[in-house]
Amino acid sequence: ITLVHDLDLDDRVKITGWLGPAEAERYYAATDICLAPYTTTDLSASGAITWALASGKPIVGSKIQAFRNICREQPCMLLTTPGRVDELVWAVEKLSGSPDYADRLVAAARDYAEAHTWRETAIVTHDLYSQLLSGVAVHAEGVSRRRLVDRKDASPAAEKPAPRRPFAVFPAREQADTPTVVARQQRRAA
């Protein structure tokens, strides 16, 4: 927070802390680029990234295993090395100056979010536990979400429901000369 003030960016950067869904949607609508510059490398998942993926905004994330796993399945974020401010600046400038690239990332993020709804997560979890309880050996590759989600239905005539967005996707707002950035302050372990 002090750095934002020292760099005279108070009018362009707002550190919000935790936000409820309605308020988070309002901030996403006003944001040009979502930043997730995590420095914790042992993070296994991020609810904030899930929301960002469905926000309709391009994302710059850290090269941490959790985000690499997402991008391995669907290249939908521009990743930078944790702690490398120069890479973060380059990524924001790249997305600001390459609207076609930013649009491709947004489309890929939307596809990822649609494939990972709560319903699909429940199905994948059920299938995984069913395999484990049936005594079938499951290798790490066999646990891949894509492999479980892309499974064949028992009945060829069964219709799959249309993919649903887990969260609202916002239309892009009018382009500004420089991006507006909203950062969420990470919770610290007590």
Side-chain angles (χ1 to χ4, degrees):
I1 297 174
T2 303
L3 180 61
V4 170
H5 182 70
D6 291 348
L7 295 173
D8 196 27
L9 295 173
D10 297 298
D11 61 330
R12 304 221 1 244
V13 176
K14 181 169 176 94
I15 310 239
T16 64
W18 186 88
L19 299 171
E23 197 173 3
E25 288 177 9
R26 189 169 53 88
Y27 278 103
Y28 279 121
T31 299
D32 296 298
I33 298 170
C34 295
L35 300 179
Y38 285 79
T39 56
T40 304
T41 57
D42 61 349
L43 183 73
S44 64
S46 167
I49 274 298
T50 303
W51 278 87
L53 289 166
S55 73
K57 305 298 178 169
I59 302 166
V60 176
S62 294
K63 289 180 187 172
I64 60 172
Q65 195 60 50
F67 297 170
R68 286 180 180 191
N69 291 344
I70 291 170
C71 287
R72 186 175 302 118
E73 184 173 331
Q74 182 70 266
C76 56
M77 291 183 268
L78 187 53
L79 300 180
T80 62
T81 306
R84 292 288 308 268
V85 176
D86 58 323
E87 288 184 25
L88 188 61
V89 169
W90 175 86
V92 169
E93 288 175 349
K94 177 167 178 66
L95 291 174
S96 297
S98 306
D100 289 341
Y101 179 62
D103 288 345
R104 286 193 306 272
L105 287 178
V106 168
R110 186 174 296 118
D111 290 346
Y112 182 88
E114 287 175 353
H116 295 82
T117 62
W118 282 112
R119 181 181 189 283
E120 283 304 317
T121 300
I123 290 169
V124 168
T125 303
H126 175 271
D127 290 354
L128 174 60
Y129 276 93
S130 294
Q131 287 179 17
L132 291 170
L133 292 172
S134 71
V136 173
V138 178
H139 298 285
E141 286 181 17
V143 179
S144 162
R145 180 181 197 109
R146 181 173 298 276
R147 293 179 100 187
L148 289 170
V149 170
D150 291 343
R151 69 205 173 285
K152 301 289 184 215
D153 283 282
S155 166
E159 276 189 43
K160 289 186 178 181
R164 294 175 18 167
R165 288 188 175 92
F167 309 108
V169 176
F170 307 103
R173 71 177 176 88
E174 204 169 85
Q175 290 274 338
D177 292 340
T178 55
T180 301
V181 179
V182 175
R184 290 181 60 172
Q185 188 174 19
Q186 293 180 5
R187 291 185 185 175
R188 298 179 196 269

